[in-house]
Short mmCIF file of all heavy atoms in Angstrom, two decimals:
data_model
loop_
_atom_site.label_atom_id
_atom_site.label_comp_id
_atom_site.label_asym_id
_atom_site.label_seq_id
_atom_site.Cartn_x
_atom_site.Cartn_y
_atom_site.Cartn_z
N MET A 1 97.79 110.92 44.14
CA MET A 1 97.89 110.76 45.58
C MET A 1 97.75 112.14 46.30
O MET A 1 97.79 113.21 45.71
CB MET A 1 99.30 110.20 45.94
CG MET A 1 99.33 108.65 45.72
SD MET A 1 98.15 107.82 46.86
CE MET A 1 98.94 107.99 48.41
N SER A 2 97.67 112.07 47.60
CA SER A 2 97.49 113.26 48.33
C SER A 2 98.89 114.01 48.50
O SER A 2 99.94 113.42 48.20
CB SER A 2 97.02 113.03 49.80
OG SER A 2 98.01 112.46 50.56
N GLU A 3 98.84 115.22 48.96
CA GLU A 3 100.05 115.99 49.10
C GLU A 3 100.45 115.99 50.57
O GLU A 3 101.26 116.88 50.96
CB GLU A 3 99.85 117.43 48.56
CG GLU A 3 98.66 118.13 49.25
CD GLU A 3 98.26 119.38 48.49
OE1 GLU A 3 97.64 119.23 47.38
OE2 GLU A 3 98.63 120.48 48.91
N ASP A 4 100.00 115.02 51.31
CA ASP A 4 100.26 114.98 52.71
C ASP A 4 101.76 115.02 53.07
O ASP A 4 102.16 115.62 54.06
CB ASP A 4 99.63 113.78 53.37
CG ASP A 4 98.14 114.06 53.69
OD1 ASP A 4 97.67 115.00 53.21
OD2 ASP A 4 97.63 113.28 54.51
N ALA A 5 102.52 114.33 52.29
CA ALA A 5 103.96 114.21 52.60
C ALA A 5 104.65 115.61 52.61
O ALA A 5 105.58 115.74 53.44
CB ALA A 5 104.64 113.32 51.53
N HIS A 6 104.17 116.53 51.80
CA HIS A 6 104.84 117.79 51.82
C HIS A 6 103.79 118.92 52.12
O HIS A 6 103.94 120.02 51.62
CB HIS A 6 105.47 118.06 50.41
CG HIS A 6 106.65 117.12 50.20
ND1 HIS A 6 107.86 117.30 50.83
CD2 HIS A 6 106.80 116.04 49.44
CE1 HIS A 6 108.68 116.33 50.46
NE2 HIS A 6 108.03 115.53 49.61
N LYS A 7 102.89 118.55 52.94
CA LYS A 7 101.90 119.61 53.35
C LYS A 7 102.62 120.67 54.21
O LYS A 7 103.45 120.36 54.99
CB LYS A 7 100.81 118.87 54.24
CG LYS A 7 99.51 119.54 54.19
CD LYS A 7 98.57 118.73 55.05
CE LYS A 7 97.24 118.48 54.35
NZ LYS A 7 96.37 117.75 55.23
N THR A 8 102.21 121.92 53.97
CA THR A 8 102.84 122.98 54.71
C THR A 8 102.09 123.26 55.97
O THR A 8 100.91 122.86 56.12
CB THR A 8 102.85 124.25 53.88
OG1 THR A 8 101.53 124.68 53.69
CG2 THR A 8 103.61 124.11 52.61
N LEU A 9 102.70 123.86 56.95
CA LEU A 9 102.10 124.20 58.21
C LEU A 9 100.86 125.15 57.89
O LEU A 9 99.87 125.03 58.62
CB LEU A 9 103.04 124.95 59.11
CG LEU A 9 104.00 124.09 59.92
CD1 LEU A 9 104.90 124.97 60.76
CD2 LEU A 9 103.25 123.10 60.78
N CYS A 10 100.99 125.95 56.90
CA CYS A 10 99.84 126.79 56.51
C CYS A 10 98.62 125.94 56.22
O CYS A 10 97.51 126.32 56.70
CB CYS A 10 100.24 127.66 55.28
SG CYS A 10 101.74 128.53 55.41
N ALA A 11 98.81 124.86 55.53
CA ALA A 11 97.71 123.95 55.25
C ALA A 11 97.18 123.27 56.51
O ALA A 11 96.00 123.10 56.67
CB ALA A 11 98.10 122.90 54.16
N TYR A 12 98.12 122.83 57.33
CA TYR A 12 97.72 122.17 58.58
C TYR A 12 96.93 123.11 59.48
O TYR A 12 95.90 122.72 60.06
CB TYR A 12 99.00 121.73 59.36
CG TYR A 12 99.57 120.39 58.82
CD1 TYR A 12 100.88 120.40 58.41
CD2 TYR A 12 98.82 119.23 58.79
CE1 TYR A 12 101.47 119.21 57.88
CE2 TYR A 12 99.39 118.11 58.34
CZ TYR A 12 100.72 118.08 57.88
OH TYR A 12 101.27 116.92 57.42
N VAL A 13 97.41 124.37 59.57
CA VAL A 13 96.71 125.33 60.45
C VAL A 13 95.34 125.66 59.87
O VAL A 13 94.34 125.87 60.62
CB VAL A 13 97.55 126.60 60.58
CG1 VAL A 13 96.74 127.72 61.25
CG2 VAL A 13 98.78 126.30 61.42
N GLU A 14 95.22 125.63 58.52
CA GLU A 14 93.94 125.88 57.87
C GLU A 14 92.95 124.77 58.31
O GLU A 14 91.77 125.05 58.44
CB GLU A 14 94.11 125.89 56.37
CG GLU A 14 93.44 126.98 55.65
CD GLU A 14 93.93 127.13 54.27
OE1 GLU A 14 93.40 126.42 53.37
OE2 GLU A 14 94.88 127.85 54.01
N GLU A 15 93.48 123.57 58.45
CA GLU A 15 92.64 122.44 58.87
C GLU A 15 92.51 122.39 60.43
O GLU A 15 91.91 121.51 60.96
CB GLU A 15 93.24 121.10 58.40
CG GLU A 15 93.25 120.95 56.92
CD GLU A 15 93.95 119.69 56.51
OE1 GLU A 15 94.44 118.93 57.38
OE2 GLU A 15 94.01 119.40 55.33
N GLU A 16 93.11 123.35 61.09
CA GLU A 16 93.09 123.45 62.53
C GLU A 16 93.70 122.19 63.22
O GLU A 16 93.18 121.73 64.26
CB GLU A 16 91.63 123.66 63.01
CG GLU A 16 91.10 125.00 62.47
CD GLU A 16 89.79 125.36 63.21
OE1 GLU A 16 88.85 124.54 63.26
OE2 GLU A 16 89.69 126.52 63.67
N LEU A 17 94.80 121.69 62.66
CA LEU A 17 95.43 120.62 63.28
C LEU A 17 95.92 121.01 64.73
O LEU A 17 95.88 120.17 65.60
CB LEU A 17 96.69 120.19 62.47
CG LEU A 17 97.50 119.04 63.04
CD1 LEU A 17 96.71 117.72 62.93
CD2 LEU A 17 98.85 118.91 62.35
N GLN A 18 96.36 122.25 64.88
CA GLN A 18 96.84 122.72 66.16
C GLN A 18 95.66 122.67 67.21
O GLN A 18 95.98 122.60 68.44
CB GLN A 18 97.44 124.13 66.11
CG GLN A 18 96.43 125.27 66.04
CD GLN A 18 95.81 125.46 64.62
OE1 GLN A 18 95.88 124.63 63.80
NE2 GLN A 18 95.27 126.66 64.43
N VAL A 19 94.45 122.64 66.81
CA VAL A 19 93.30 122.52 67.70
C VAL A 19 92.91 121.04 67.82
O VAL A 19 92.68 120.55 68.96
CB VAL A 19 92.10 123.34 67.19
CG1 VAL A 19 90.86 123.15 68.03
CG2 VAL A 19 92.49 124.80 67.10
N LYS A 20 92.81 120.35 66.70
CA LYS A 20 92.34 118.97 66.70
C LYS A 20 93.36 118.01 67.26
O LYS A 20 93.04 117.01 67.89
CB LYS A 20 91.97 118.57 65.28
CG LYS A 20 90.79 119.34 64.70
CD LYS A 20 90.64 118.99 63.25
CE LYS A 20 89.50 119.82 62.66
NZ LYS A 20 89.58 119.77 61.14
N ASN A 21 94.67 118.29 66.96
CA ASN A 21 95.68 117.35 67.38
C ASN A 21 96.99 118.09 67.76
O ASN A 21 97.96 118.06 67.06
CB ASN A 21 95.94 116.35 66.24
CG ASN A 21 96.78 115.13 66.73
OD1 ASN A 21 97.38 115.22 67.80
ND2 ASN A 21 96.80 114.12 65.95
N PRO A 22 96.96 118.81 68.86
CA PRO A 22 98.06 119.66 69.31
C PRO A 22 99.40 118.85 69.36
O PRO A 22 100.44 119.45 69.04
CB PRO A 22 97.71 120.12 70.68
CG PRO A 22 96.19 120.00 70.74
CD PRO A 22 95.83 118.84 69.82
N GLN A 23 99.34 117.55 69.79
CA GLN A 23 100.56 116.82 69.85
C GLN A 23 101.25 116.64 68.48
O GLN A 23 102.42 116.75 68.33
CB GLN A 23 100.29 115.39 70.44
CG GLN A 23 99.80 115.46 71.86
CD GLN A 23 100.85 116.09 72.83
OE1 GLN A 23 102.05 115.92 72.58
NE2 GLN A 23 100.43 116.73 73.87
N ALA A 24 100.36 116.32 67.45
CA ALA A 24 100.93 116.15 66.12
C ALA A 24 101.47 117.48 65.61
O ALA A 24 102.45 117.53 64.91
CB ALA A 24 99.82 115.62 65.21
N TYR A 25 100.76 118.53 65.92
CA TYR A 25 101.20 119.86 65.50
C TYR A 25 102.53 120.24 66.07
O TYR A 25 103.49 120.68 65.40
CB TYR A 25 100.13 120.93 65.81
CG TYR A 25 100.47 122.33 65.32
CD1 TYR A 25 100.42 122.63 63.94
CD2 TYR A 25 100.97 123.28 66.20
CE1 TYR A 25 100.74 123.87 63.49
CE2 TYR A 25 101.30 124.50 65.77
CZ TYR A 25 101.20 124.85 64.40
OH TYR A 25 101.53 126.07 63.94
N MET A 26 102.67 120.00 67.34
CA MET A 26 103.94 120.28 68.07
C MET A 26 105.06 119.47 67.52
O MET A 26 106.18 119.99 67.42
CB MET A 26 103.77 120.05 69.56
CG MET A 26 103.11 121.19 70.26
SD MET A 26 103.17 121.04 72.03
CE MET A 26 101.63 120.16 72.37
N ALA A 27 104.78 118.25 67.11
CA ALA A 27 105.80 117.40 66.51
C ALA A 27 106.36 118.04 65.23
O ALA A 27 107.54 117.79 64.89
CB ALA A 27 105.34 116.00 66.24
N LEU A 28 105.52 118.80 64.54
CA LEU A 28 105.95 119.41 63.30
C LEU A 28 106.75 120.67 63.51
O LEU A 28 107.60 121.07 62.72
CB LEU A 28 104.68 119.80 62.47
CG LEU A 28 103.88 118.67 61.93
CD1 LEU A 28 102.54 119.31 61.39
CD2 LEU A 28 104.57 118.00 60.78
N ILE A 29 106.54 121.37 64.63
CA ILE A 29 107.19 122.67 64.82
C ILE A 29 108.37 122.63 65.75
O ILE A 29 109.14 123.63 65.85
CB ILE A 29 106.15 123.73 65.28
CG1 ILE A 29 105.57 123.35 66.64
CG2 ILE A 29 105.12 123.93 64.27
CD1 ILE A 29 104.70 124.42 67.25
N LYS A 30 108.62 121.54 66.46
CA LYS A 30 109.79 121.54 67.31
C LYS A 30 110.58 120.27 67.15
O LYS A 30 110.03 119.16 66.98
CB LYS A 30 109.41 121.79 68.73
CG LYS A 30 108.53 120.73 69.38
CD LYS A 30 108.27 121.07 70.84
CE LYS A 30 107.61 119.89 71.51
NZ LYS A 30 107.33 120.14 72.95
N PRO A 31 111.90 120.35 67.24
CA PRO A 31 112.64 121.56 67.42
C PRO A 31 112.68 122.39 66.12
O PRO A 31 113.01 121.80 65.05
CB PRO A 31 114.11 121.08 67.76
CG PRO A 31 114.17 119.78 67.08
CD PRO A 31 112.78 119.19 67.06
N ALA A 32 112.35 123.66 66.20
CA ALA A 32 112.29 124.49 65.02
C ALA A 32 113.67 124.75 64.42
O ALA A 32 114.59 125.11 65.16
CB ALA A 32 111.63 125.80 65.34
N THR A 33 113.81 124.52 63.14
CA THR A 33 115.05 124.72 62.46
C THR A 33 114.93 125.73 61.31
O THR A 33 115.91 126.28 60.84
CB THR A 33 115.63 123.45 61.87
OG1 THR A 33 114.73 122.90 60.94
CG2 THR A 33 115.87 122.41 62.94
N HIS A 34 113.66 125.96 60.93
CA HIS A 34 113.37 126.86 59.87
C HIS A 34 112.18 127.72 60.18
O HIS A 34 111.34 127.37 61.00
CB HIS A 34 113.08 126.07 58.54
CG HIS A 34 114.23 125.36 57.99
ND1 HIS A 34 114.75 124.22 58.56
CD2 HIS A 34 115.04 125.67 56.93
CE1 HIS A 34 115.82 123.76 57.85
NE2 HIS A 34 116.01 124.65 56.85
N TYR A 35 112.07 128.81 59.51
CA TYR A 35 110.84 129.63 59.63
C TYR A 35 110.40 129.99 58.26
O TYR A 35 111.09 129.87 57.29
CB TYR A 35 111.12 130.93 60.47
CG TYR A 35 111.89 131.99 59.78
CD1 TYR A 35 111.20 133.05 59.11
CD2 TYR A 35 113.24 131.97 59.69
CE1 TYR A 35 111.93 133.99 58.47
CE2 TYR A 35 114.02 132.92 59.02
CZ TYR A 35 113.28 133.98 58.40
OH TYR A 35 113.99 134.93 57.74
N CYS A 36 109.14 130.41 58.20
CA CYS A 36 108.52 130.70 56.92
C CYS A 36 108.55 132.20 56.64
O CYS A 36 108.01 132.97 57.47
CB CYS A 36 107.08 130.23 56.76
SG CYS A 36 106.31 130.60 55.24
N GLU A 37 109.14 132.59 55.49
CA GLU A 37 109.25 133.99 55.21
C GLU A 37 107.90 134.58 54.77
O GLU A 37 107.65 135.75 54.83
CB GLU A 37 110.25 134.14 54.00
CG GLU A 37 110.93 135.48 53.85
CD GLU A 37 111.93 135.44 52.80
OE1 GLU A 37 111.62 135.04 51.65
OE2 GLU A 37 113.06 135.83 53.06
N GLY A 38 107.05 133.62 54.40
CA GLY A 38 105.70 134.09 53.94
C GLY A 38 104.75 134.34 55.07
O GLY A 38 104.06 135.36 55.11
N CYS A 39 104.67 133.42 56.07
CA CYS A 39 103.66 133.53 57.10
C CYS A 39 104.27 133.66 58.52
O CYS A 39 103.54 133.86 59.49
CB CYS A 39 102.70 132.38 57.06
SG CYS A 39 103.46 130.80 57.30
N GLY A 40 105.62 133.50 58.63
CA GLY A 40 106.24 133.72 59.94
C GLY A 40 106.24 132.52 60.81
O GLY A 40 106.75 132.59 61.94
N ARG A 41 105.67 131.40 60.42
CA ARG A 41 105.68 130.22 61.24
C ARG A 41 107.00 129.60 61.35
O ARG A 41 107.80 129.75 60.37
CB ARG A 41 104.64 129.19 60.73
CG ARG A 41 103.23 129.73 60.80
CD ARG A 41 102.22 128.59 60.52
NE ARG A 41 100.89 129.04 60.75
CZ ARG A 41 100.16 129.57 59.74
NH1 ARG A 41 100.52 129.59 58.52
NH2 ARG A 41 98.94 130.01 60.05
N SER A 42 107.27 128.79 62.32
CA SER A 42 108.53 128.03 62.35
C SER A 42 108.21 126.57 62.40
O SER A 42 107.13 126.12 62.85
CB SER A 42 109.39 128.47 63.57
OG SER A 42 108.60 128.38 64.80
N ALA A 43 109.16 125.77 61.90
CA ALA A 43 108.95 124.31 61.78
C ALA A 43 110.24 123.55 61.90
O ALA A 43 111.36 124.05 61.73
CB ALA A 43 108.27 123.99 60.47
N ALA A 44 110.12 122.28 62.21
CA ALA A 44 111.29 121.37 62.30
C ALA A 44 111.84 120.99 60.97
O ALA A 44 112.96 120.69 60.76
CB ALA A 44 110.87 120.11 63.11
N LYS A 45 110.91 121.01 59.93
CA LYS A 45 111.30 120.64 58.61
C LYS A 45 110.98 121.70 57.56
O LYS A 45 109.86 122.17 57.54
CB LYS A 45 110.62 119.32 58.19
CG LYS A 45 111.16 118.11 58.89
CD LYS A 45 110.47 116.87 58.43
CE LYS A 45 110.93 115.68 59.18
NZ LYS A 45 110.14 114.47 58.84
N ALA A 46 111.95 122.04 56.80
CA ALA A 46 111.78 123.06 55.77
C ALA A 46 110.62 122.71 54.82
O ALA A 46 109.95 123.61 54.33
CB ALA A 46 113.06 123.29 54.92
N GLU A 47 110.44 121.42 54.55
CA GLU A 47 109.41 120.99 53.59
C GLU A 47 107.98 121.33 54.09
O GLU A 47 107.05 121.24 53.29
CB GLU A 47 109.60 119.54 53.23
CG GLU A 47 109.26 118.64 54.47
CD GLU A 47 110.02 117.31 54.38
OE1 GLU A 47 111.19 117.28 54.01
OE2 GLU A 47 109.40 116.26 54.59
N ASN A 48 107.83 121.61 55.38
CA ASN A 48 106.53 121.94 55.87
C ASN A 48 106.20 123.43 55.83
O ASN A 48 105.23 123.86 56.37
CB ASN A 48 106.35 121.41 57.28
CG ASN A 48 106.32 119.91 57.37
OD1 ASN A 48 107.06 119.31 58.10
ND2 ASN A 48 105.50 119.30 56.59
N LEU A 49 107.10 124.23 55.23
CA LEU A 49 106.92 125.66 55.13
C LEU A 49 106.81 126.05 53.68
O LEU A 49 107.41 125.42 52.77
CB LEU A 49 108.08 126.40 55.83
CG LEU A 49 108.26 126.14 57.29
CD1 LEU A 49 109.61 126.69 57.78
CD2 LEU A 49 107.10 126.76 58.05
N CYS A 50 106.08 127.12 53.44
CA CYS A 50 105.86 127.57 52.02
C CYS A 50 107.09 128.34 51.51
O CYS A 50 107.44 128.18 50.33
CB CYS A 50 104.52 128.33 51.87
SG CYS A 50 104.12 129.45 53.14
N LYS A 51 107.70 129.13 52.38
CA LYS A 51 108.91 129.86 51.99
C LYS A 51 109.94 129.72 53.09
O LYS A 51 110.19 130.64 53.83
CB LYS A 51 108.57 131.33 51.73
CG LYS A 51 107.68 131.63 50.53
CD LYS A 51 107.37 133.04 50.40
CE LYS A 51 108.51 133.85 49.73
NZ LYS A 51 108.15 135.29 49.55
N PRO A 52 110.51 128.51 53.11
CA PRO A 52 111.48 128.22 54.26
C PRO A 52 112.75 128.97 54.24
O PRO A 52 113.32 129.22 53.25
CB PRO A 52 111.74 126.69 54.10
CG PRO A 52 111.44 126.39 52.70
CD PRO A 52 110.33 127.33 52.27
N GLN A 53 113.10 129.46 55.45
CA GLN A 53 114.40 130.14 55.68
C GLN A 53 115.00 129.53 56.89
O GLN A 53 114.33 129.19 57.86
CB GLN A 53 114.18 131.60 55.91
CG GLN A 53 113.62 132.36 54.78
CD GLN A 53 114.60 132.48 53.63
OE1 GLN A 53 115.80 132.59 53.82
NE2 GLN A 53 114.10 132.45 52.39
N LYS A 54 116.35 129.30 56.85
CA LYS A 54 117.00 128.62 57.99
C LYS A 54 116.95 129.58 59.16
O LYS A 54 117.18 130.79 59.01
CB LYS A 54 118.44 128.35 57.64
CG LYS A 54 118.81 126.93 58.05
CD LYS A 54 120.24 126.62 57.52
CE LYS A 54 120.60 125.16 57.77
NZ LYS A 54 120.36 124.64 59.10
N LEU A 55 116.73 128.99 60.37
CA LEU A 55 116.83 129.82 61.59
C LEU A 55 118.23 130.07 62.01
O LEU A 55 119.05 129.16 61.89
CB LEU A 55 116.04 129.13 62.72
CG LEU A 55 114.57 129.34 62.78
CD1 LEU A 55 113.95 128.46 63.90
CD2 LEU A 55 114.19 130.78 63.01
ZN1 ZN B 1 104.11 129.79 55.34
#
C-alpha cells in the first residue's frame, strides 16, 4: 500500500501540495502542535513530520 497515511510534510512539499492544494496543506499545518527538528516545518500532527518535536 501507499505511505499516504504517514506521509511527512517534507514529502507533501516535494509534491508541491502547498501550491496544488493550499487548503489541504493548511489543514495539515494548523493548528500547529509540533515542529520538525530536521527541516523546521510545523504541523498539526507529529506523524506528518520526519523529526517531530513538541511546540
Ligand atoms: Zn522534516
Side-chain angles (χ1 to χ4, degrees):
M1 279 301 286
S2 75
E3 54 194 77
D4 276 16
H6 292 287
K7 207 179 227 181
T8 64
L9 280 181
C10 306
Y12 281 121
V13 169
E14 224 166 89
E15 293 176 0
E16 299 193 308
L17 180 70
Q18 78 281 18
V19 175
K20 295 172 185 165
N21 193 344
Q23 294 300 328
Y25 183 74
M26 279 189 269
L28 292 169
I29 61 174
K30 65 178 190 179
T33 59
H34 292 75
Y35 74 96
C36 179
E37 204 174 52
C39 60
R41 294 190 175 95
S42 52
K45 288 183 182 169
E47 67 206 46
N48 291 126
L49 297 169
C50 38
K51 293 177 81 177
Q53 294 292 325
K54 226 174 188 314
L55 276 175

